[in-house]
Amino acid sequence: MKVVNLKQAILQAWKERWSDYQWAINMKKFFPRGATWDILNLAEALLEQAMVGPSPNPLILSYLKYAISSQMVSYSSVLTAISKFDDFSRELCVQALLDIMDMFCDRLSCHGKAEECIGLCRALLSALHWLLRCTAAFAERLQEGLEAGTSPPVEKQLTLCLQCLEKTLSSTKNRALLHIAKLEEASSWTAIEHCLLKLGEILANLSNPQLRSQAEQCGTLIRSIPTMLSVRSEQLHKTGFPTIHALILLEGTMNLTGEMQPLVEQLMMVKRMQHIPTPLFVLEIWKACFVGLIESPEGTQELKWTAFTYLKIPQVLVKLKKYFHGEKDFTEDVNSAFEYLLKLTPLLDKADQRCNCDCTNFLLQECNKQGLLSEVNFAILVGKRTSDREPQLKSSENANIQPNPGLILRAEPTVTNILKTMDADHSKSPEGLLGVLGHMLSGKSLDLLLAAAAATGKLKSFARKFINLNEFTTHGSGESTKTASVRALLFDISFLMLCHVAQTYGSEVILSEASSGEEVPFFETWMQTCMPEEGKILNPDHPCFRPDSTKVESLVALLNNSSEMKLVQMKWHEACLSISAAILEILNAWENGVLAFESIQKITDNIKGKVCSLAVCAVAWLVAHVRMLGLDEREKSLQMIRQLAGPLYSENTLQFYNERVVIMNSILEHMCADVLQQTATQIKFPSTGVDTMPYWNLLPPKRPIKEVLTDIFAKVLEKGWVDSRSIHILDTLLHMGGVYWFCNNLIKELLKETRKEHTLRAVQLLYSIFCLDMQQVTLVLLGHILPGLLTDSSKWQSLMDPPGTALAKLAVWCALSSYSSHKGQASSRQKKRHREDIEDYISLFPVEDMQPSKLMRLLSSNEDDANILSSPTDRSMNSSLSASQLHTVNMRDPLNRVLANLFLLISSILGSRTAGPHTQFVQWFMEECVDCLEQDSRGSILQFMPFTTVSELVKVSAMSSPKVVLAITDLSLPLGRQVAAKAIAAL
């Protein structure tokens, strides 16, 4: 008999009662060549014939089972065929279909093309929907029967449905395939969710607890599919987290003016990467704050730390609260953190002793005010601390000293009031404004207000207001002697305050956003061109120091001939710009014997007698001038600096003279520090009893900086945490040695460690040290140091476990941190350092940019085309296609370029025939990437990994899990989903 079609062949087999293997042989004779059985829809044709009557045809079903076992038909075609059956009233037919599914539902696989693997995902999703509909139908019938008082025989079918569901869903591989299918077909997933809700309602009314619990378990597994990548295990066995501690110390010591959002994001990044439980995370922040309060040097640093702890950190926690689901949960976590903190009585007592008050109480009040603690918990915590606290004996000398936390908290509203006062028209009541500024200068008021403004992000507008005031006072027309003296004082105080702000918090705070057409204010011009700063070398012959000669001559005559400076009609900004040239004239006259020392004293007294800012401008130029002189030529210039630094003991000075001189001396000391060290000279500045430069000149003399670096790192590692002094030494070494030298030597120290607990601690500490300039360190680490270690076989030995694992962890942490933040601005502490030229990285890593036409050809070609899914031994650009190129990431960006090249190197190592410690390192690197990832990998560093790497990675036993494949592929792209489906289906 000549067979016309598939249906006829099946009917003939049934009529002649062929056995299953006989049927298979004959089928291959009937259809010898051409299309595959799936294209002919063999599975669907067999099921259609088998399910004709009320009960299934056992012979035809045996053909289907044979076809499945001998892989004549694919699993996806069988699942699709089953999901088309919807007559659930035919119980025996349903039971037969469940038996077929039971044959293979926990061992699905596909070794075909990527499109076939995606087909398997879709078929499994359809089958899941069918199983849920089937379960719901039987559950409904069971419920109806029970309500009618009869017990229908469908309980067995319901049990079978739930068993099949459980068996299908208990496989992680199946759930991973369903995860991909959900992204492919969002509407089908919505239908499954509806079905699940309906099933839950029906089963809630059933009396059988076993069926209910089985259904709940299946429901939980289905609901876990969309979030199967976001499950995290937290480190509950650890109590100390040195990275958080060091990050807080670094921010409090060096970056009080920094914006809060980057700090919040960095803290959250560390919390995620190190899986830190929230209460211990918050506790570590508080611990670091108290350590900072205890160890901060007296004076400005102490006030900065107090402002950081009491004003900035509570605000940081308010921002952190938004990252946690459930506000109540976060307040409970903050409460738990405080409960832990109160157990650290010695730490808190030491802080109380240092600050001369109950530090914890102030902090609890502030957190309560910000809504971080409930009233009940606040009262309990305050009571607990009061009972634990060691009684402080107030000595007569500190009885009248007001504690800093209280002063800082009171200073914050004062800053707002001063800003409002400064907004008023200066010409209307300059005397009133002078009174306000005079109060700011007394005692430590100025530093208190500046610290409060810095911690609350108001310092920039504070500085802007003083720049506007300074600009207003540069000109005076038709003024009386009294008006002129008020104007002179307003100019002087605003100038000194701005210098002090620039030296204490960095010149970035002063600079305005450059806008074309606007005239740059005098102070900004002077600060950028004439003010000495750390690492800034000035040219004393620069045009900025050589103004109009007639103005210079008149200023020299005024200084030399008058008994004191005139104030009326004085253009102070011109005097400040002319003073440098005037000082040069006076110096030359002194050195040539034209002027005697007595005349010099009179001139310097005139310079500093009325306004201190003239003395500041004069010393600024003298500092630049001294650098250029030979050893035997410096004496008179240094002598003049000494004369300008001492106060003037005269009755005829303007208001607030002593207060202004204190600020002037602090400014001069900062200006002269570098040049005095370089010329081995000492100038005794009038002392205020406080070290104004506590973190300056920390490096030991006559020791190689490499020794200092290894020594300081060894001490930090031994202690287990970084203190603020070490942070400053490390920052100085980073400036001195450069990023490559700094990073390379610290990595060498890490690779020397052989004890596991030491390497982990070293990684946590190194990450926080690298935060001094994370962007540049990451470029060097991923672009130079790692490729050097991975490509040089003589260095492979150093990548063994444990240091190799530690380095992989550190590299991933740095890469993730830099990538997540490199779109933001560099922090103020990083802007001063030389930035690497982008062109350096383009020439170093010449990744040819893909032409759009070539990219489109790749995307429109068959997914299994050799171009895309070829083996990584072919290192052409075709096989390096990655998600980043499909997202059109800017490859001129140095970090993107370095990441793309690192992943190309990883791909070539995985595809090479030589295995060794470097291969193991790549595995650790990828494991850490997966461990640190958030659920959506789009926009993460893994988007730079070529798609071909996935198939190579799953060959490594530790990486051959469905979850890993889902984590490392970009599932937001169709091509990414195909690559993932192909890799998972083959596992």
Side-chain angles (χ1 to χ4, degrees):
M1 176 186 173
K2 190 182 175 188
V3 174
V4 177
N5 60 26
L6 201 58
K7 188 175 175 183
Q8 279 185 343
I10 295 165
L11 286 171
Q12 185 183 348
W14 173 67
K15 280 177 191 169
E16 296 177 13
R17 297 293 188 269
W18 295 343
S19 63
D20 47 16
Y21 68 89
Q22 209 178 352
W23 167 80
I25 292 165
N26 287 335
M27 287 297 280
K28 283 168 187 172
K29 284 179 187 169
F30 292 150
F31 303 94
R33 282 183 303 280
T36 63
W37 296 115
D38 277 1
I39 290 174
L40 291 171
N41 278 337
L42 177 61
E44 197 175 323
L46 285 167
L47 269 184
E48 200 180 302
Q49 293 303 314
M51 301 293 163
V52 170
S55 64
N57 184 318
L59 185 63
I60 296 178
L61 278 185
S62 73
Y63 298 159
L64 178 59
K65 286 176 184 176
Y66 187 88
I68 294 167
S69 303
S70 61
Q71 296 185 354
M72 277 175 76
V73 289
S74 66
Y75 293 129
S76 56
S77 66
V78 179
L79 289 171
T80 307
I82 290 173
S83 60
K84 287 179 181 174
F85 182 85
D86 54 5
D87 186 358
F88 300 125
S89 60
R90 290 193 280 165
E91 292 151 24
L92 293 171
C93 289
V94 170
Q95 194 171 325
L97 293 175
L98 290 172
D99 284 344
I100 289 170
M101 269 192 81
D102 192 58
M103 282 173 64
F104 60 82
C105 67
D106 57 346
R107 51 184 180 86
L108 294 176
S109 63
C110 175
H111 297 276
K113 294 181 176 181
E115 194 52 61
E116 291 168 26
C117 299
I118 283 285
L120 177 61
C121 297
R122 290 191 173 121
L124 185 57
L125 191 68
S126 304
L128 176 65
H129 192 200
W130 180 81
L131 277 171
L132 286 171
R133 279 167 41 229
C134 188
T135 309
F138 285 131
E140 216 164 353
R141 281 171 62 193
L142 181 64
Q143 189 186 352
E144 284 165 7
L146 291 171
E147 283 170 4
T150 59
S151 181
V154 291
E155 195 164 324
K156 183 188 172 192
Q157 272 79 7
L158 181 57
T159 308
L160 283 173
C161 280
L162 288 170
Q163 279 171 356
C164 192
L165 258 176
E166 200 171 0
K167 190 173 178 181
T168 306
L169 293 166
S170 58
S171 154
T172 311
K173 179 176 173 177
N174 286 358
R175 294 203 302 279
L177 293 171
L178 287 165
H179 184 91
I180 295 168
K182 171 196 169 286
L183 297 170
E184 282 284 318
E185 296 185 358
S187 56
S188 302
W189 185 258
T190 312
I192 283 175
E193 285 175 329
H194 286 314
C195 220
L196 203 57
L197 283 171
K198 183 185 168 188
L199 183 61
E201 287 165 14
I202 299 166
L203 289 168
N205 303 320
L206 289 183
S207 55
N208 189 327
Q210 193 183 347
L211 287 176
R212 268 211 317 272
S213 98
Q214 216 174 353
E216 279 165 18
Q217 203 173 345
C218 293
T220 308
L221 284 170
I222 292 170
R223 287 186 199 95
S224 75
I225 289 168
T227 59
M228 66 186 294
L229 289 178
S230 55
V231 180
R232 286 278 173 270
S233 59
E234 295 187 327
Q235 296 194 34
L236 297 170
H237 61 284
K238 284 187 69 184
T239 52
F241 298 94
T243 310
I244 297 290
H245 189 102
L247 264 181
I248 294 294
L249 275 172
L250 193 141
E251 282 290 314
T253 311
M254 303 183 83
N255 201 26
L256 180 62
T257 53
E259 287 180 29
M260 280 183 218
Q261 196 55 36
L263 172 60
V264 168
E265 284 170 13
Q266 195 166 26
L267 287 169
M268 278 307 294
M269 172 72 76
V270 175
K271 183 184 185 301
R272 271 198 305 269
M273 290 190 305
Q274 298 187 14
H275 312 311
I276 306 173
T278 309
L280 297 181
F281 169 66
V282 178
L283 170 68
E284 202 62 51
I285 293 174
W286 293 137
K287 273 162 63 179
C289 286
F290 277 98
V291 169
L293 283 174
I294 293 164
E295 68 170 23
S296 57
E298 200 180 335
T300 312
Q301 288 297 329
E302 188 182 1
L303 294 176
K304 282 164 87 170
W305 255 109
T306 312
F308 181 73
T309 303
Y310 291 95
L311 295 178
K312 190 166 186 175
I313 288 295
Q315 288 298 329
V316 165
L317 287 178
V318 168
K319 284 184 177 287
L320 277 169
K321 183 156 78 169
K322 294 171 189 166
Y323 285 80
F324 297 92
H325 304 298
E327 207 168 289
K328 191 170 177 234
D329 297 345
F330 188 70
T331 53
E332 282 306 312
D333 287 334
V334 172
N335 179 52
S336 302
F338 272 117
E339 284 174 355
Y340 291 136
L341 183 68
L342 293 186
K343 290 175 185 171
L344 306 174
T345 314
L347 176 75
L348 303 184
D349 286 346
K350 184 106 176 155
D352 288 358
Q353 191 183 344
R354 171 74 202 268
C355 298
N356 195 28
C357 66
D358 185 348
C359 293
T360 320
N361 199 336
F362 277 114
L363 196 54
L364 289 167
Q365 283 176 29
E366 200 54 29
C367 288
N368 185 35
K369 194 166 86 181
Q370 299 293 348
L372 295 166
L373 279 174
S374 65
E375 289 292 338
V376 178
N377 288 339
F378 168 68
I380 293 167
L381 291 166
V382 169
K384 171 115 179 54
R385 177 60 190 145
T386 310
S387 62
D388 290 350
R389 193 167 174 246
E390 191 181 279
Q392 302 284 320
L393 296 170
K394 292 216 168 193
S395 63
S396 54
E397 60 204 48
N398 70 8
N400 300 322
I401 298 172
Q402 287 189 297
N404 286 336
L407 290 171
I408 277 287
L409 290 168
R410 285 209 298 281
E412 194 228 346
T414 313
V415 169
T416 314
N417 293 335
I418 288 171
L419 288 173
K420 283 179 189 165
T421 308
M422 298 285 290
D423 278 332
D425 186 351
H426 303 317
S427 57
K428 285 186 180 166
S429 84
E431 290 89 351
L433 183 58
L434 184 61
V436 171
L437 298 188
H439 280 298
M440 282 176 67
L441 295 179
S442 61
K444 57 182 181 185
S445 298
L446 178 60
D447 282 329
L448 263 169
L449 291 165
L450 292 179
T456 51
K458 293 175 185 159
L459 190 60
K460 209 163 176 65
S461 63
F462 205 80
R464 189 67 8 219
K465 303 273 191 277
F466 278 100
I467 283 176
N468 294 341
L469 171 64
N470 186 265
E471 201 65 10
F472 164 74
T473 57
T474 51
H475 298 280
S477 54
E479 56 187 1
S480 63
T481 312
K482 189 185 175 190
T483 316
S485 68
V486 169
R487 186 171 65 84
L489 277 167
L490 288 175
F491 176 85
D492 200 41
I493 290 170
S494 58
F495 187 94
L496 293 172
M497 279 187 178
L498 288 165
C499 284
H500 184 61
V501 169
Q503 286 181 339
T504 312
Y505 294 99
S507 51
E508 297 80 17
V509 178
I510 306 288
L511 299 174
S512 56
E513 302 299 323
S515 55
S516 56
E518 275 188 40
E519 196 178 331
V520 181
F522 153 70
F523 184 82
E524 275 191 51
T525 310
W526 179 83
M527 185 188 74
Q528 285 179 287
T529 52
C530 310
M531 182 175 168
E533 283 183 278
E534 187 189 353
K536 180 167 139 187
I537 305 295
L538 298 171
N539 173 10
D541 300 323
H542 191 275
C544 71
F545 292 121
R546 297 279 169 273
D548 183 5
S549 58
T550 53
K551 289 175 184 171
V552 175
E553 282 166 21
S554 61
L555 181 61
V556 170
L558 184 69
L559 293 170
N560 194 22
N561 302 329
S562 311
S563 57
E564 59 181 52
M565 282 292 281
K566 71 162 191 149
L567 302 175
V568 180
Q569 302 291 330
M570 187 70 176
K571 293 182 178 176
W572 292 110
H573 66 300
E574 285 185 4
C576 284
L577 291 170
S578 305
I579 193 78
S580 51
I583 289 285
L584 178 61
E585 296 286 328
I586 292 158
L587 259 180
N588 287 338
W590 185 17
E591 281 171 352
N592 294 317
V594 177
L595 288 174
F597 182 64
E598 291 72 28
S599 305
I600 298 297
Q601 275 184 310
K602 179 189 158 193
I603 289 168
T604 53
D605 285 353
N606 268 344
I607 291 173
K608 67 189 177 186
K610 296 290 183 192
V611 293
C612 299
S613 35
L614 272 183
V616 171
C617 295
V619 172
W621 178 80
L622 280 166
V623 164
H625 181 63
V626 169
R627 278 183 196 274
M628 303 297 163
L629 299 176
L631 198 60
D632 53 342
E633 299 170 311
R634 294 174 184 155
E635 184 47 45
K636 284 189 165 57
S637 299
L638 292 168
Q639 185 75 6
M640 194 172 265
I641 293 176
R642 281 193 190 92
Q643 288 296 319
L644 289 166
L648 177 68
Y649 300 104
S650 160
E651 296 296 314
N652 201 14
T653 53
L654 295 175
Q655 259 177 301
F656 312 118
Y657 184 67
N658 291 338
E659 290 88 343
R660 285 183 291 134
V661 165
V662 169
I663 298 175
M664 177 187 82
N665 280 320
S666 163
I667 294 164
L668 297 186
E669 192 175 348
H670 275 84
M671 277 185 176
C672 299
D674 270 356
V675 80
L676 294 180
Q677 186 193 22
Q678 286 160 13
T679 57
T681 314
Q682 280 193 322
I683 291 180
K684 191 84 177 122
F685 291 94
S687 172
T688 53
V690 173
D691 183 3
T692 54
M693 300 176 67
Y695 292 123
W696 186 78
N697 196 19
L698 294 174
L699 292 187
K702 296 180 182 174
R703 268 193 81 189
I705 56 171
K706 187 177 174 186
E707 264 182 43
V708 179
L709 181 66
T710 52
D711 192 39
I712 196 90
F713 182 64
K715 282 178 184 165
V716 162
L717 191 56
E718 194 181 339
K719 257 198 312 192
W721 56 283
V722 189
D723 58 284
S724 48
R725 190 172 181 278
S726 303
I727 285 172
H728 277 272
I729 294 174
L730 288 162
D731 191 50
T732 309
L733 290 168
L734 177 53
H735 272 279
M736 263 188 182
V739 182
Y740 180 81
W741 174 88
F742 184 78
C743 183
N744 192 33
N745 282 307
L746 285 174
I747 295 299
K748 281 179 186 171
E749 291 306 303
L750 171 65
L751 294 176
K752 285 178 195 170
E753 284 300 330
T754 52
R755 284 168 294 178
K756 194 156 192 171
E757 64 278 11
H758 266 218
T759 53
L760 182 60
R761 191 195 297 172
V763 167
Q764 292 175 330
L765 291 168
L766 276 176
Y767 172 81
S768 51
I769 290 166
F770 287 169
C771 286
L772 285 166
D773 196 348
M774 182 56 83
Q775 289 290 324
Q776 294 294 300
V777 167
T778 305
L779 288 175
V780 163
L781 178 60
L782 305 185
H784 294 268
I785 295 170
L786 275 191
L789 289 167
L790 291 171
T791 52
D792 184 349
S793 56
S794 65
K795 292 177 182 169
W796 288 352
Q797 205 59 29
S798 64
L799 297 176
M800 300 284 275
D801 192 33
T805 325
L807 179 58
K809 196 180 277 286
L810 179 64
V812 172
W813 288 1
C814 289
L816 286 172
S817 297
S818 291
Y819 191 73
S820 68
S821 67
H822 87 301
K823 297 175 187 72
Q825 296 299 307
S827 75
S828 57
R829 67 171 184 271
Q830 293 171 8
K831 283 177 184 165
K832 294 177 190 170
R833 199 165 289 121
H834 162 72
R835 314 310 300 163
E836 294 281 354
D837 189 354
I838 287 177
E839 294 304 320
D840 295 350
Y841 280 90
I842 289 175
S843 58
L844 183 67
F845 303 116
V847 174
E848 71 172 82
D849 292 317
M850 289 202 72
Q851 296 302 314
S853 57
K854 189 174 184 181
L855 191 57
M856 292 315 291
R857 281 205 310 278
L858 280 175
L859 293 177
S860 60
S861 68
N862 184 332
E863 286 68 28
D864 267 278
D865 190 289
N867 282 339
I868 294 175
L869 299 177
S870 62
S871 87
T873 46
D874 169 23
R875 286 293 96 214
S876 68
M877 194 63 191
N878 302 354
S879 65
S880 66
L881 178 65
S882 67
S884 62
Q885 289 162 325
L886 305 188
H887 290 311
T888 59
V889 170
N890 173 21
M891 290 309 283
R892 289 187 67 76
D893 180 278
L895 184 61
N896 293 349
R897 199 161 272 270
V898 163
L899 284 165
N901 280 277
L902 180 65
F903 277 107
L904 272 178
L905 177 60
I906 282 173
S907 190
S908 72
I909 288 170
L910 287 168
S912 74
R913 290 178 186 152
T914 315
H918 64 308
T919 324
Q920 185 71 57
F921 177 87
V922 165
Q923 183 193 316
W924 292 324
F925 183 89
M926 295 306 297
E927 280 174 355
E928 191 60 33
C929 282
V930 171
D931 195 41
C932 295
L933 267 186
E934 289 179 81
Q935 192 184 349
D936 181 14
S937 64
R938 173 171 182 174
S940 88
I941 59 171
L942 283 174
Q943 66 177 318
F944 294 98
M945 183 182 72
F947 287 122
T948 49
T949 312
V950 179
S951 57
E952 290 299 319
L953 260 179
V954 291
K955 293 175 188 171
V956 180
S957 58
M959 304 295 282
S960 61
S961 87
K963 279 191 180 183
V964 168
V965 176
L966 289 181
I968 61 177
T969 41
D970 188 338
L971 299 174
S972 66
L973 293 169
L975 187 55
R977 292 196 289 273
Q978 287 173 15
V979 168
K982 186 170 167 61
I984 292 168
L987 287 175

